[in-house]
Amino acid sequence: MAHRGDPPDGPAENGASGQDDEYGSLVFDESFVRAARLQEFSAQERMGDHARAVRSLPGRAVRSGSRIALALMILIALAFGTAVFMGLSHPYETPAAARKPEPLRMTLVPLAPRGTVPAGTPATLFASSPAAHHPKGKEGISPPAARHTADFSESQVSAALATVKDYLAASSLDPDVLSGNAVRPVESLLDPDQMQQFDRSVNEPYDDGQHAATGWLVRFDPARVTPDPEIRVRGTLRYAQTGTDALEVVSDHTFTYALRPAVSGPQPKGGASLFTVRREMRFRFDREDLRLHRLEVQTSYLQAGPQSCPADTSGALRPLLAGERAVPRGPAGTDPYATGRPGAALCGTLEVSSLPSRTPASPQGPPSPTAARSRP
């Protein structure tokens, strides 16, 4: 028998009595139960107010972005103002535009002997010549003591002198350069702005005062002579500052070579002869040249003999060998009506030769064993 608080279908299955059930007094009729509907909310609806609690407020985000943009604009303005201030108040002057090297100006003077070129062994010829007491090879290129100038330190002056010594050794003593087999040892020391003139002088030599290969280096005609390894050298180097950004070095050296005929097979013992080259050169350095171990060649004055006079020595020197005499010809004439590039025809006379002498040459003699009497 159902009690008063039991459901319509009888007591609850768990055996709870109406007295223990606090909802026992509630009675739902059948029409109420049938009218009730079950509704399942979506995920967005189940989140309810919690979803809105974590959303960003549109107004606050806009205000934060505006503040960040304003801060960036202020930082950019400060950086620009600082840069302008530093540029106007910088204590150093703005460097001037880099100066391009001028073309090398060169003069070549072949020296003709008065008589027959003496013959002998290299040792005998050197012993009886003014070069008897000249140092050998690089030992004859002795830079002076380096001292600082108004705008260049002692180390910078030393670097300039060392570069000139390397250039003179490469262009006057290197066996491959002397025989015409290489130019790289000389080219590697030149300012890049002089490369075009140098390449043209080597590949298309012409005696016009600017495009002779022998204005840059000493080169013998390999089909005619072979230089002996022993070369006597004597000369001077001096330097001076010529501007706040320019250092100048002047060289004046005499090179004495022992040459043999370029013939195959064994050489005759007494068939060598001497050949003398005097080179006076002027070099210029800026600070970039000093840092990169390179130089600018400004002027080159070369006297070389014995050679026939006149002789085209723009591509290579063409020495007269032992027993030969100079061709009895006067200097080449110049046609003022001719077109094309003018030639720089100069000739000289070789006053001092290597003829055997009874007394040894004095070591205090002049650095150059040649004297050029130039004739236009």
Side-chain angles (χ1 to χ4, degrees):
M1 179 178 181
H3 295 283
R4 182 185 178 195
D6 291 337
D9 295 333
E13 295 181 358
N14 57 5
S17 64
Q19 297 176 355
D20 296 331
D21 188 358
E22 59 180 331
Y23 299 101
S25 59
L26 295 179
V27 178
F28 298 95
D29 57 13
E30 185 176 355
S31 61
F32 175 80
V33 173
R34 289 178 180 177
R37 289 189 308 165
L38 296 178
Q39 180 179 359
E40 184 179 355
F41 293 98
S42 65
Q44 184 70 24
E45 291 172 332
R46 288 198 299 271
M47 291 177 64
D49 293 338
H50 297 287
R52 291 190 295 273
V54 296
R55 292 176 184 170
S56 299
L57 296 178
R60 186 175 301 175
V62 172
R63 289 194 297 271
S64 299
S66 300
R67 292 175 182 175
I68 294 174
L70 180 61
L72 288 176
M73 293 178 61
I74 294 174
L75 288 176
I76 294 173
L78 288 175
F80 180 77
T82 302
V84 172
F85 175 78
M86 293 297 293
L88 294 176
S89 61
H90 201 280
Y92 302 102
E93 296 181 358
T94 303
R99 170 191 174 274
K100 288 190 175 182
E102 298 179 359
L104 167 61
R105 302 184 305 277
M106 56 188 72
T107 303
L108 310 178
V109 182
L111 302 177
R114 292 184 178 276
T116 302
V117 177
T121 64
T124 302
L125 294 172
F126 278 129
S128 59
S129 75
H133 300 279
H134 292 183
K136 299 178 182 180
K138 289 185 178 181
E139 297 178 1
I141 308 174
S142 301
R147 302 182 185 278
H148 69 85
T149 64
D151 296 292
F152 291 90
S153 65
E154 180 179 326
S155 62
Q156 289 175 316
V157 174
S158 296
L161 294 172
T163 304
V164 170
K165 181 176 180 178
D166 290 344
Y167 181 88
L168 293 175
S171 61
S172 307
L173 303 176
D174 189 303
D176 291 330
V177 174
L178 296 179
S179 59
N181 294 326
V183 297
R184 181 57 183 168
V186 179
E187 184 182 30
S188 62
L189 296 170
L190 293 176
D191 189 291
D193 289 328
Q194 288 192 310
M195 292 296 186
Q196 183 176 1
Q197 183 187 7
F198 177 81
D199 291 341
R200 181 179 174 186
S201 301
V202 171
N203 298 322
E204 301 177 11
Y206 191 82
D207 191 7
D208 60 352
Q210 289 190 344
H211 298 97
T214 48
W216 302 90
L217 47 83
V218 176
R219 172 191 285 177
F220 295 103
D221 184 355
R224 183 167 178 78
V225 299
T226 300
D228 192 81
E230 182 176 332
I231 304 172
R232 302 294 178 94
V233 185
R234 185 182 181 186
T236 60
L237 287 172
R238 64 180 188 272
Y239 63 89
Q241 180 177 328
T242 57
T244 57
D245 192 44
L247 193 64
E248 181 182 88
V249 178
V250 179
S251 68
D252 184 358
H253 288 79
T254 298
F255 302 85
T256 306
Y257 304 86
L259 305 178
R260 297 179 182 275
V263 296
S264 59
Q267 294 280 351
K269 185 176 181 180
S273 60
L274 293 188
F275 189 86
T276 305
V277 175
R278 180 173 179 177
R279 304 181 75 192
E280 300 176 60
M281 307 189 74
R282 188 179 302 272
F283 306 92
R284 182 187 181 277
F285 297 85
D286 57 25
R287 300 184 188 278
E288 189 74 0
D289 293 332
L290 295 173
R291 186 177 65 86
L292 298 177
H293 191 67
R294 69 189 189 192
L295 49 76
E296 171 193 343
V297 188
Q298 291 187 305
T299 60
S300 173
Y301 183 84
L302 180 141
Q303 303 174 9
Q307 298 184 95
S308 291
C309 185
D312 182 8
T313 59
S314 59
L317 302 175
R318 294 173 172 81
L320 295 173
L321 300 177
E324 295 182 338
R325 300 175 65 95
V327 178
R329 289 173 55 192
T334 301
D335 182 2
Y337 297 98
T339 59
R341 294 179 296 179
L346 292 175
C347 294
T349 301
L350 183 63
E351 295 287 3
V352 179
S353 67
S354 58
L355 289 171
S357 59
R358 295 185 179 182
T359 58
S362 170
Q364 302 299 324
S368 172
T370 61
R373 294 195 302 229
S374 299
R375 301 191 298 268

